[in-house]
Amino acid sequence: MRKLSLVFASALLLAGGNLFANDSRTIDPNNELAVQIGDLLKDNNFVLDEEDLTAQVLFTLNDKKEIVVISVETDDVILENFVKSRLNYQQVQVASGKEGKMYTVPVRIQG
């Protein structure tokens, strides 16, 4: 029983040490980009037959911090064209985004 309590206490100390070791001030570029992409796609005039339209957008950033859409995975051609036209070569403000790195962001248009 004593060994079990020592193992449990060790696990708690290890987990607690890992929590305090994380830098909570770092910003995830994916979250930052997702918010900005949401703003770029916000004003739309979709008349939806379905409740929601969804897509997975694969893109990269160029040297000017502009979005370059690689692909839009969706069943709706109109949504694909809309996303490409709204996002391609739009400049974003991201501190830690790397040129050439591939990003994937889910997009949902609600009706």
Side-chain angles (χ1 to χ4, degrees):
M1 190 66 167
R2 180 165 156 67
K3 287 183 182 180
L4 183 61
S5 63
L6 285 175
V7 169
F8 183 68
S10 300
L12 283 176
L13 287 173
L14 182 63
N18 285 339
L19 288 176
F20 289 118
N22 288 340
D23 185 10
S24 62
R25 291 175 285 148
T26 57
I27 298 172
D28 183 12
N30 291 342
N31 291 342
E32 202 174 348
L33 286 168
V35 170
Q36 292 181 47
I37 287 172
D39 289 341
L40 291 170
L41 298 175
K42 188 180 288 184
D43 298 324
N44 61 60
N45 53 3
F46 275 101
V47 178
L48 301 178
D49 295 334
E50 304 170 23
E51 214 167 286
D52 292 338
L53 292 176
T54 59
Q56 289 289 330
V57 181
L58 176 66
F59 65 95
T60 187
L61 298 176
N62 65 13
D63 59 341
K64 298 176 187 173
K65 302 281 187 192
E66 295 172 335
I67 296 172
V68 179
V69 177
I70 306 297
S71 69
V72 179
E73 292 181 26
T74 183
D75 294 333
D76 193 308
V77 177
I78 296 171
L79 176 63
E80 179 180 354
N81 292 333
F82 171 76
V83 168
K84 286 179 181 178
S85 68
R86 282 286 181 99
L87 295 183
N88 250 339
Y89 299 104
Q90 293 295 318
Q91 194 165 23
V92 291
Q93 304 298 321
V94 60
S96 59
K98 292 184 179 179
E99 175 187 347
K101 181 180 177 187
M102 297 291 187
Y103 297 94
T104 303
V105 174
V107 171
R108 184 175 70 181
I109 306 288
Q110 294 179 327

